[in-house]
Amino acid sequence: MKQTRNGFTLVEMVFCVSVILVILLLVIPNVTSKNNMIKDKSCDAQIEVVNSQIILYQIETGELPTSISQLTSGSKPYLTKKQSTCPNGKKIEISDGQAYAS
């Protein structure tokens, strides 16, 4: 009787692992760059939220805020402290009634 062999040889396992590693090395940089792009887009969205709160602040008080702290302080703040920073780590600042990330 002939015995059948179950399983993989060492050479087959090394080949499979090396193919998987090559695929990962090709995919990881693409995923990382997409993650950075998503953070930049969410920062743009956060700036638009701050701009809308600037308009609301101006309507209610009659003047433009000069700093982000005016929007995050008081008994009824327009923004939370977390909203004064973009997801990519940049701080949101106000100049001439417009928000921007620095």
Side-chain angles (χ1 to χ4, degrees), residues 1 11 17 21 31 36 44 61 65 97:
M1 261 201 284
V11 174
V17 169
L21 287 175
V31 170
N36 291 337
D44 293 341
T61 64

Side-chain angles (χ1 to χ4, degrees), residues 47 49-58 60-61 63-81 83-84 92-94 97-99:
I47 289 172
V49 168
V50 173
N51 280 330
S52 67
Q53 295 305 312
I54 289 171
I55 293 169
L56 185 60
Y57 181 90
Q58 183 183 19
E60 291 182 355
T61 64
E63 58 187 40
L64 286 171
T66 56
S67 69
I68 196 80
S69 64
Q70 288 177 304
L71 298 176
T72 59
S73 62
S75 61
K76 293 188 331 183
Y78 295 87
L79 298 170
T80 63
K81 295 279 185 193
Q83 289 175 308
S84 64
I92 297 176
E93 297 181 8
I94 298 173
Q98 290 291 313

Side-chain angles (χ1 to χ4, degrees), residues 17-43:
V17 169
S18 61
V19 167
I20 291 170
L21 287 175
V22 167
I23 291 171
L24 284 175
L25 288 173
L26 293 173
V27 171
I28 288 175
N30 193 20
V31 170
T32 307
S33 68
K34 296 289 184 198
N35 193 17
N36 291 337
M37 185 176 68
I38 289 169
K39 285 183 180 180
D40 290 341
K41 292 291 182 184
S42 61
C43 186

Side-chain angles (χ1 to χ4, degrees), residues 82-99:
K82 187 177 178 182
Q83 289 175 308
S84 64
T85 306
C86 282
N88 60 6
K90 295 181 179 178
K91 294 205 52 82
I92 297 176
E93 297 181 8
I94 298 173
S95 176
D96 297 327
Q98 290 291 313

